[in-house]
Amino acid sequence: MNRKTIILTGFILIKFVLQYTLISPEYELHRDEFLHLDQANHLAWGYLSVPPVTAWIAWLVKLLGNTIFWVRFFPALFGALTIWVIWKTIEELKGDLFALLLGATGMLFSVLLRLNILFQPNSLDVLGWTLFYFVFIKYLNTQKTTWLYAGAVVFALAVLNKYNIAFLLIGLLPALILTPQRKILGRPQVYTAAGVALILILPNLWWQYTHHFPVIHHMNELKRTQLIHVSRSGFIKTQFLFFLGALPVILAGFYALLFYPPFKKYRLFFWSYVFTVALFIYFRAKDYYAIGLYPIYIAFGATYLSKILNGRWVTLLKPISVALPLLCFIPIFRVGFPNKSPLQIAKHPEAYKKLGLLRWEDGKEHALPQDFSDMLGWEELARKTDSLYMKMPVTGKTMVLCDNYGQAGAINFYTTKGIRAFSFNADYLHWFNLKQPYQHLIRIKEHETPSTELSITGPYFQQSFVGDSVTNSFAREYRTTIFVFKNAWVDINNRLKAELDTMQRRWY
């Protein structure tokens, strides 16, 4: 094993260690993670929320025991592989050991540490963007058709993970047209490779077609409820923070793509960035959608700086350049991760409040950042639901109905009693089991006033009462209430089916 391999292995090991230690043990999984993990129980070629790859990974997690260790493992793995791809890209660009260290450090101490905490499509999305760019560079350097087909496979898998990578292609095409590399578009192998990608994506496209393209409804809903509130200026400002310690390296990469003669054939990457960011700004995209853009420019910048930082005095900048990402990471470490207990944060909120991290989407100040609160209270909810479920007259005829996908997913993840909770929210719209005749209902309601729910639903049952609630005051689900309804006077299944039909019509 040579020195470079030993150093790379060290970076990857540090990456894994950090991903597991940046989360205090008081925190559970995030609400979104529970939904993705539950997809393993409903494998399909598509979902209302995401394409299918996340479900396939969740299925692997399930085979490995569905433990927190394995849930955390795969995002960390994708982050480590992203560092590896950038290392290989720098080698392809003829960067030396300094360039490799500069690139790996910039990647390690970046927003990816935060992104790779959660079991979501985002970690693999960033890896997909980075790997596609690497494959494209290999094709530019070798002109081997094999790399075109490799790019087709990478792009297809990335699409099956998250549709966001379509912005990469839309931004890359006009960049190709603007530069001498436009000749690539005249090669028939390009279109054969595109056909390969289309064939791989086709099962998901068929699923979308047979389900009336819910992705369109999902995007419209996202635009109406979330993207409309996205500030374009805020999007631009945030871009500088994702790889803050490597920002000089990224800027050096942009400069090199425009003015460094050995990088002339890669100039299309500069214009690709311009077009892709312009698209994100135009569509008011969320700021993190663009994270996958930046790693490749760290590779360009690190290689360029390794060529020009020579001479006795200039060489002194090298250790400073390598250390900068770590120095910038230290203050972020204090507030950017759930690495302190909720009580510690509540007792010392000053740094969080100063940065606006305690303001939630409701516009109010809270004790914890919203994302941190979204990682609390779930196991308590599941255990209490389990307890009430086992006290029902006939457990097999008891429906557990939740307000949101986080509640349903958490109950299904933690249950030891075989509960399959449902919701009229997100992918659960397709997962209802109405073949089983239900007589009893356990209803999970968000911050519900007991008298309200009991007066609305109670008359349909012989017995109704408040079973329990979430008591963790730091949890976003604090005061979420578990209602119990026994022995229905009405046909529960017909009423559920009518409500389900109404909700599905809203999607389609």
Side-chain angles (χ1 to χ4, degrees):
M1 187 179 293
N2 61 38
R3 185 170 62 157
K4 288 183 179 180
T5 304
I6 292 172
I7 294 172
L8 175 59
T9 302
F11 272 105
I12 290 175
L13 289 176
I14 293 171
K15 172 69 175 177
F16 274 101
V17 170
L18 285 173
Q19 294 302 158
Y20 279 98
T21 56
L22 285 172
I23 306 176
S24 181
E26 289 90 347
Y27 295 93
E28 304 159 31
L29 299 178
H30 188 277
R31 70 169 63 236
D32 292 351
E33 295 180 276
F34 292 115
L35 171 63
H36 299 318
L37 290 167
D38 215 356
Q39 290 171 346
N41 301 306
H42 308 274
L43 293 179
W45 275 103
Y47 300 90
L48 296 180
S49 56
V50 292
V53 165
T54 304
W56 301 346
I57 301 167
W59 182 76
L60 287 176
V61 172
K62 183 180 177 181
L63 286 183
L64 293 167
N66 237 20
T67 61
I68 300 297
F69 174 86
W70 289 110
V71 176
R72 306 271 192 227
F73 174 80
F74 285 97
L77 174 64
F78 298 142
L81 288 174
T82 306
I83 293 175
W84 177 81
V85 173
I86 289 303
W87 187 281
K88 293 300 177 183
T89 304
I90 293 171
E91 289 184 334
E92 180 67 22
L93 296 172
K94 310 303 180 186
D96 60 14
L97 181 59
F98 166 66
L100 294 169
L101 290 172
L102 192 57
T105 308
M107 290 294 296
L108 179 61
F109 298 107
S110 70
V111 69
L112 295 186
L113 281 174
R114 185 73 175 88
L115 198 72
N116 298 151
I117 283 177
L118 302 178
F119 184 82
Q120 295 177 335
N122 301 320
S123 294
L124 186 54
D125 182 52
V126 174
L127 174 59
W129 284 65
T130 308
L131 187 55
F132 183 87
Y133 283 138
F134 167 72
V135 169
F136 191 65
I137 288 172
K138 290 290 289 187
Y139 175 71
L140 291 177
N141 289 344
T142 66
Q143 299 297 305
K144 291 183 179 179
T145 305
T146 307
W147 289 109
L148 282 178
Y149 294 117
V153 173
V154 169
F155 182 79
L157 290 176
V159 169
L160 293 174
N161 170 69
K162 186 168 180 159
Y163 301 125
N164 183 53
I165 200 167
F167 284 98
L168 180 155
L169 190 61
I170 297 172
L172 184 62
L173 286 175
L176 276 170
I177 294 171
L178 274 179
T179 63
Q181 301 295 356
R182 70 179 70 90
K183 61 186 177 183
I184 293 173
L185 298 176
R187 295 171 184 169
Q189 298 93 332
V190 170
Y191 302 98
T192 306
V196 170
L198 181 60
I199 290 171
L200 293 174
I201 299 168
L202 197 58
N204 177 250
L205 294 177
W206 178 253
W207 184 92
Q208 287 286 343
Y209 172 75
T210 57
H211 289 78
H212 310 286
F213 289 97
V215 65
I216 296 176
H217 173 88
H218 182 72
M219 291 305 299
N220 288 335
E221 185 74 8
L222 192 65
K223 181 179 179 180
R224 183 180 63 84
T225 61
Q226 296 184 38
L227 300 185
I228 190 66
H229 303 298
V230 171
S231 163
R232 290 189 171 104
S233 62
F235 174 93
I236 295 170
K237 291 175 184 177
T238 310
Q239 302 307 301
F240 295 99
L241 302 177
F242 290 143
F243 296 88
L244 182 60
L247 184 58
V249 181
I250 293 172
L251 295 176
F254 290 148
Y255 176 87
L257 288 170
L258 286 175
F259 303 111
Y260 184 51
F263 282 1
K264 184 177 180 180
K265 67 178 174 181
Y266 306 124
R267 190 162 296 167
L268 65 95
F269 280 91
F270 175 84
W271 296 112
S272 178
Y273 175 85
V274 171
F275 287 121
T276 305
V277 168
L279 282 169
F280 280 136
I281 293 173
Y282 176 78
F283 286 108
R284 294 181 179 272
K286 295 183 179 181
D287 51 18
Y288 68 85
Y289 288 3
I291 291 176
L293 263 173
Y294 295 97
I296 201 68
Y297 299 99
I298 292 178
F300 283 120
T303 303
Y304 171 66
L305 290 174
S306 72
K307 304 295 185 184
I308 65 169
L309 291 182
N310 295 308
R312 181 180 176 184
W313 297 108
V314 177
T315 301
L316 294 175
L317 293 174
K318 289 186 176 182
I320 297 174
S321 301
V322 173
L324 185 60
L326 175 58
L327 295 174
C328 291
F329 171 74
I330 291 173
I332 297 173
F333 170 81
R334 295 179 58 243
V335 297
F337 301 89
N339 51 13
K340 298 183 181 68
S341 72
L343 190 58
Q344 285 178 298
I345 296 174
K347 285 183 176 179
H348 305 283
E350 296 80 13
Y352 299 88
K353 190 171 184 178
K354 184 178 179 181
L355 295 172
L357 298 176
L358 300 183
R359 187 175 298 278
W360 290 9
E361 60 188 22
D362 62 7
K364 299 178 182 178
E365 296 276 338
H366 294 263
L368 301 185
Q370 182 171 306
D371 273 356
F372 298 1
S373 288
D374 265 332
M375 300 170 72
L376 296 168
W378 302 112
E379 189 168 6
E380 178 191 357
L381 174 64
R383 296 290 174 251
K384 289 179 175 179
T385 304
D386 266 5
S387 177
L388 292 167
Y389 183 79
M390 294 309 296
K391 295 176 182 177
M392 300 301 283
V394 183
T395 57
K397 294 186 178 181
T398 300
M399 162 71 75
V400 178
L401 184 61
C402 303
D403 263 3
N404 63 59
Y405 62 78
Q407 297 164 351
I411 290 170
N412 293 341
F413 181 81
Y414 286 115
T415 183
T416 60
K417 308 302 179 185
I419 296 177
R420 297 309 306 169
F422 301 96
S423 174
F424 292 118
N425 184 226
D427 297 301
Y428 287 94
L429 283 173
H430 285 297
W431 297 344
F432 273 82
N433 176 17
L434 297 182
K435 295 179 181 178
Q436 168 68 43
Y438 297 106
Q439 296 178 352
H440 319 288
L441 174 67
I442 292 178
R443 186 73 171 94
I444 316 296
K445 295 287 292 182
E446 300 173 355
H447 316 298
E448 184 65 41
T449 302
S451 59
T452 303
E453 181 61 24
L454 293 178
S455 63
I456 294 174
T457 307
Y460 297 106
F461 294 83
Q462 295 181 26
Q463 185 181 2
S464 59
F465 58 90
V466 175
D468 217 323
S469 65
V470 175
T471 58
N472 187 335
S473 61
F474 294 115
R476 192 176 174 193
E477 292 289 330
Y478 175 51
R479 291 179 296 151
T480 287
T481 308
I482 309 172
F483 295 91
V484 178
F485 303 94
K486 296 182 179 180
N487 299 310
W489 297 108
V490 298
D491 189 327
I492 294 180
N493 289 61
N494 281 339
R495 288 185 174 272
L496 286 171
K497 188 176 186 307
E499 181 67 19
L500 189 61
D501 288 344
T502 300
M503 296 299 294
Q504 288 181 344
R505 280 197 297 271
R506 291 180 184 175
W507 275 89
Y508 308 136

